[in-house]
Each structure stands twice: as structure tokens, then as C-alpha cells.
Amino acid sequence: MGTVAWGLCALFCAWTCGRSAGLSRRRRGFDDHSADDLPKRCSYTFLVPEQKITGPICASRGSSLPDKERVTRMDIADVRELLSKQRREMETLRMVVDVDGNLVNEMKLLRKESRNMNSRVTQLYMQLLHEIIRKRDNSLELAQLEARVLNVTAEALRLSSRYRDLEARFAALAGVVNNQSVLIGALEEKCLHVYGHGRQEPLPPPLVQVVPENIPVHVPRFSNEIHMEHSRAFPRDRGSRAGPAPTGSTLEAKQPTTSNFSSEGPFLDCFHAMQAGHGTSGMYLLKPNDSERPMQAWCEHDMDGGGWTVIQRRKDGSVNFFRNWENYKKGFGNIDGEHWLGLENIYNLGRQEDYKLLVELQDWMEKKVYAAYSSFHLEPESESYRLRLGTYQGNAGDSLTSHNGKQFTTLDRDKDAFSGNCAHFHKGGWWYNACGQTNLNGVWYSGGVYRSKFQDGVFWADYGGGFYSMKSVRMLIKPIE
Ligand SMILES: [Ca+2]
């Protein structure tokens, strides 16, 4: 061992002593009462040979640790740097954590939104399902409707076809009926030949050939051909209302039955009654000059100034007008309904002063027309009550002038210009010519157009023709003012 090693040993012992003392002192700082008890460990002494110092001497206050364990300022700086680096990383990590937290929140929000979306999608799906079901139902309904339309169309076609069949059958049946009518006519003629022993039935009067000026509208009309055929086919189905024989009742046998009867009078005529202050329409007692007996008559005061005496009225067919001469002379019917005032009464009225005549007609469409004649009177019974008329004015057409100057004919007194008795064919009493343009005392047929072998309805040829029976008729007279 050299000098250097000895020196180092001395230094080591000195350092060890010093350190023990130091430790003792430090330990005394923590635990004073044990300091004196510690034994002295520095028991060896090393002598270090003198050494010549040639370089600087490094002294250290601290322990003499090996170099590799010594903490230097560099180490501290490194540690500090490491610390700061770790701190930065910590900061970075914290930021990352913050960001992650935000992300988590967002994630939560997104999850929530996703749940909402899911429920919304479910709802939409249900809605879609419902719509699909509904559309299927609608399409089913549509299909059913289409089927029904098809069925109805088929039914309509069937009905139309049936209607055409029925039409054809009706036409065939009409043809058969017409043929049978012709056959019946022929058989009737044959019967007359065989069983009539040569007796010839009187020829009927010619049909009225007037084409009426006014034809009631909306009324079905028959052609002349159909008239002829049906008159053969149904010779007795109409006209029975006229009755086989005239009846005997007259106006004078009737008693007033309504409250429209004035007990005052008698008056010369209705105009006289009105002048006497009786302006209400109704039944009045009249007794014309030179007449033997008073009579009842209907006074019409509600039209054209009033004062009209009704000499004939038809309205409902309630009275039989197929009567004999005596009935037509005295009058018959009901004063407040259908009636005939009587030829003698009309004659007596007409010879008092100058009268005018108004014929009022109403068709089955409730339309009223009239024919007025400027003068009117009858000649006496010895002249068979010959008709004397003035000039015509009105809107019904003039069907009465052709009867002007004609005598009155009934079934039992033929005064007409025809070879047979017009009253027989027309079933009434009238101033027949041969036979006439009007038959206001004929058979009252309901409905207007009538079927009959003869023109025996209540017709006014210039209004409706010979086969249109009027609904109501009135003949009224009034003194010319
Ligand atoms: Ca005659």
C-alpha cells in the first residue's frame, strides 16, 4: 500500500468519526434523552502518509457518496424538466378528459335522440301500417262498389230489354185488339143483316169536322182512326150516364136547399134583383112579365158587373140531361148545381127586353174561355123555341151561330134539319141543326177527351173539337145596358 492509500484510509476514518458525531447530533434533535447513551464508534486511527498536493483540493460538506449516486444540479433540472413535462401531459390528459366528457354528454344526447327517433319511427311504422290497412279496406269497398254498379247496370240493361219486349208485346196486342175491333164491326153488320130482317138502322149524323181554333193543352188526344175503331170496340162503355129514358122531375118541384136563397122578390130577372140592392150571388125568385108562375134561378153577381141570370149549368155530371120535351120546357136539375132553367122561363125572360148571352166554358186544365153574343131571345113554343142570336165575340170560337134560327129538338120532338133525330145521337135537347157544332146539354164525360160512337159529349167544336167534353159550362143572360 502506498502513501496515497494510507492517506485515503485516514480521510475515511476522519469522515466516519465526523459522520457518527453528526448522526448523533441529528438524532439528538429528534430524541434528546438517548443521545448520551450512544457509545463512541470511532475506535481506530489511521495514519495517512504525507502527500504532496499538486492540484486544487475539492471539498464537500455533504457525505462522500460515490459519483454515480451523487445528485447534481443537472439531475434536479432533469427532474424538474420531467416534472414539467409530466405536468404538461397531465394538462393534456385533463383536456382530453374534458373533451371526452363533452363527447360523453353528446353521446348521451345522441342516445336520447336515437331513442326518440326510434319511437318516432315506430309510430310512423304503425301509422303506415294503419294507412295500408285502410287503403286495403278502401280498395275492397271500391271493388264492392264497382261490383254493385256493374250489377245495377246489368239490371238496367235487363229492364230495358224487358221494356222493349213489353213494348213489342203491347204493339202486337194493340194490333190484335184493332183486328178484333174490325172483326166485331163486321160481325155486328152481319148480325144486323141476318137478324135485322132487312131493317136499316138510321145513319148517324156526320161528325163535326171543325178543326178547333183552341185545343186544350197537355191532354192526350186520339186520332179519328182510333175513335172509329174504339167506338166499334166499346159501343156501350161510355154514355150510359145519359140513361135510357128521360125522367120527369122538373125545377118547379125542387125546394131551395142552400143558404144562398133570397126570400125576397120575386124579381123580373137577376139584373132587377141587383138593382133592388141584392148584390150577392145566389138563388132568387124571379117572375118575368107575362109569366104565369114564379121560378127559382141562380143570379151571378160576381162577374162582369153582376146581374146575370144563369139559364144552364154543367159541372159534375150529377144531372141527367137526356130528357123529353116537357122537361126541357119546364126546366130541371138543381139551381145551385147542374140545371136547365126551362125553355118557357127563358122565353119569358127574353121577351121582357133585349138580352145578351154569355157562354162560359172551362176545360180540364182549368182554363176558362167564353163566347158572347150581342143579343139573345127565344121564339114561343109554337115556334119550338127557335133560337135568335146576335153577333159573336169571345175567345172560345163561335160554335153557336150555326144553330142560330134553329128550333129546339128533344128525343120526343124532332125539329132538326137532320134525317134522323139529333137528340138521339147527341143524347140531349138543343137547337140542333144537322146536327151541330156544340152540344152543351150532352153527356158530361170526365177527363176531357172521350170515346163514344157518337159525338154526344158536352163539346164546343171550336174549342177542343167534337170529342172533347168540357169540365164545366154556364149559359147566362143579362139585359143589354
Ligand atoms: Ca130530324
Side-chain angles (χ1 to χ4, degrees), residues 409 414-422 433:
T409 291
D414 182 356
K415 294 289 180 180
D416 58 44
F418 180 60
S419 57
N421 187 339
C422 288
N433 185 7

Side-chain angles (χ1 to χ4, degrees), residues 156-199:
L157 284 172
R158 265 201 303 277
L159 284 176
S160 160
S161 153
R162 253 184 90 188
Y163 177 73
R164 276 198 298 275
D165 288 350
L166 284 174
E167 264 190 338
R169 282 177 62 189
F170 176 76
L173 284 173
V176 169
V177 166
N178 285 341
N179 289 339
Q180 285 179 342
S181 299
V182 171
L183 192 63
I184 288 167
L187 286 171
E188 276 181 348
E189 283 177 16
K190 206 172 176 183
C191 281
L192 280 174
H193 253 326
V194 173
Y195 300 106
H197 303 293
R199 275 194 288 119

